[in-house]
């Protein structure tokens, strides 16, 4: 399972410098800012909450609501921060004193292309070369257009449990399939530890 999101990062890294597609949000779209910076999800983080940022810098620049250690998916302890933005609170997992992965579970925060929790799978089909991959019993959509993140889908039906879906396979998922979580792990992990799904 630890290999899943590393594969996702490698899948998209080569396209990091490509020109954004026409499906990106119009230039007139603006995002709110908070003490933690601009509230838009990118491949490297949200505002000052960035992959690789130190725990100390996050606590200085952002409003941390909780700093706890929980049991991870493999029973190993995982340190997580709950970081507040004006429209949402996100989870940041800390490894070796740095932000390793960020999880967005509610719809307040979105990418520049306005993708986030609640976005229909049909919208994901407009991304460059979307693919569906399995991890922890869930289907994640990845794209080289967003090499540092993945989109977990809910309501995928039996077809969604097959994994390894290309655009055509994703197209045939139930129309109510929607993003239930956005994971941000960065286009260049480089921490020596592999990102993993929850």
């Amino acid at each position: 399972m630890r290999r899943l999101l590393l594969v996702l990062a490698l899948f998209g890294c080569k396209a990091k410098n490509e020109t954004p597609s026409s499906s990106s949000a119009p230039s007139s779209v603006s995002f709110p800012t908070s003490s933690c910076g601009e509230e838009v999800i990118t491949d490297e983080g949200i505002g000052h909450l960035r992959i690789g940022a130190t725990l100390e810098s996050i606590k200085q620049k952002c409003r941390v609501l909780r700093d706890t250690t929980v049991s991870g998916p493999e029973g190993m302890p995982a340190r997580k921060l709950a970081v507040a933005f004006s429209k949402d609170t996100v989870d940041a997992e800390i490894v070796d004193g740095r932000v390793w992965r960020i999880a967005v579970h509610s719809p307040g925060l979105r990418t520049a292309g306005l993708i986030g929790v609640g976005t229909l799978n049909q919208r994901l089909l407009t991304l460059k070369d979307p693919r569906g991959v399995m991890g922890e019993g869930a289907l994640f959509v990845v794209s080289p257009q967003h090499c540092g993140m993945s989109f977990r889908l809910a309501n995928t039906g039996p077809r969604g449990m097959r994994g390894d879906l290309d655009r055509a396979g994703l197209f045939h998922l139930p129309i109510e399939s929607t993003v239930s979580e956005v994971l941000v792990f960065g286009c260049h992990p480089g921490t020596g530890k592999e990102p993993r799904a929850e």
Side-chain angles (χ1 to χ4, degrees):
M1 175 50 351
R2 292 193 170 203
R3 296 187 183 90
L4 170 67
L5 291 182
L6 179 62
V7 170
L8 306 187
L10 295 176
F11 173 78
C13 279
K14 64 181 181 180
K16 177 63 178 173
N17 295 323
E18 292 183 3
T19 302
S21 74
S22 58
S23 62
S24 296
S27 58
S28 60
V29 173
S30 62
F31 293 89
T33 59
S34 67
S35 61
C36 202
E38 188 177 28
E39 301 188 4
V40 55
I41 306 172
T42 74
D43 290 312
E44 300 300 330
I46 308 166
H48 299 303
L49 181 63
R50 299 179 63 80
I51 301 301
T54 64
L55 175 62
E56 291 77 12
S57 69
I58 296 306
K59 288 191 171 183
Q60 288 174 0
K61 298 174 181 177
C62 303
R63 183 182 173 206
V64 176
L65 301 179
R66 290 188 307 279
D67 180 351
T68 59
T69 299
V70 300
S71 179
E74 295 158 0
M76 299 296 290
R79 186 174 185 180
K80 292 191 176 183
L81 305 180
V83 180
F85 288 86
S86 68
K87 290 189 172 183
D88 220 335
T89 299
V90 304
D91 293 330
E93 189 165 349
I94 305 298
V95 173
D96 296 333
R98 294 181 179 273
V99 177
W100 178 55
R101 187 182 61 185
I102 300 164
V104 181
H105 301 286
S106 49
L109 297 169
R110 294 185 174 268
T111 69
L114 302 181
I115 297 175
V117 172
T119 297
L120 290 172
N121 172 54
Q122 296 298 312
R123 169 66 179 84
L124 300 182
L125 297 180
T126 66
L127 297 175
K128 178 180 174 62
D129 299 328
R131 292 198 65 83
V133 295
M134 289 298 297
E136 289 292 319
L139 182 69
F140 292 81
V141 175
V142 297
S143 164
Q145 188 173 329
H146 287 294
C147 62
M149 67 180 78
S150 63
F151 306 96
R152 183 174 186 160
L153 286 182
N155 307 317
T156 59
R159 186 184 295 267
M161 293 298 99
R162 299 176 189 173
D164 195 23
L165 300 176
D166 58 11
R167 188 191 303 272
L170 291 170
F171 177 80
H172 287 98
L173 293 178
I175 194 168
E176 63 269 21
S177 296
T178 57
V179 175
S180 61
E181 178 184 50
V182 180
L183 291 179
V184 180
F185 41 84
C187 291
H188 307 285
T191 62
K193 296 179 181 287
E194 300 173 8
R196 62 180 181 267
E198 291 288 0

